[in-house]
Amino acid sequence: AIQEGTSIDSSMYNLSKGGAYCEFDPTDDVKITVGDLVRLSVPLNDLSKSHALNAKVVWTTKKGRYSGRQGFGLKFINNDEVYRSLLGRLA
């Protein structure tokens, strides 16, 4: 699972209203698993800003179809869903 506060540089290859698909260079200390909560930071270079979105990992692949690196699919979630998911992990 992704450790709290861990930052991963990734490339986004698909973005829709409901989610995104990204690929990254895997490392021994970073494991992404289904159910992980992530905060996706999307740089908007033309505006010199960044936009952050909450998401949950819904699937992973060892070899992505775009770069061949490890990939993961995300479903965007709202703050209430983040809170419920975190509470569920405590139970």
Side-chain angles (χ1 to χ4, degrees), residues 39-74:
R39 187 151 177 91
L40 183 65
S41 179
V42 181
L44 304 171
N45 296 334
D46 292 345
L47 301 174
S48 298
K49 292 184 177 182
S50 180
H51 188 69
L53 302 157
N54 295 317
K56 183 180 277 192
V57 176
V58 291
W59 60 273
T60 63
T61 181
K62 296 257 188 232
K63 185 174 168 123
R65 80 185 271 208
Y66 295 94
S67 69
R69 301 178 296 162
Q70 189 168 340
F72 57 98
L74 299 170

Side-chain angles (χ1 to χ4, degrees), residues 18-55:
Y21 172 70
C22 303
E23 293 179 4
F24 71 103
D25 291 316
T27 62
D28 289 338
D29 59 332
V30 175
K31 304 286 186 232
I32 295 178
T33 58
V34 171
D36 284 349
L37 296 177
V38 299
R39 187 151 177 91
L40 183 65
S41 179
V42 181
L44 304 171
N45 296 334
D46 292 345
L47 301 174
S48 298
K49 292 184 177 182
S50 180
H51 188 69
L53 302 157
N54 295 317

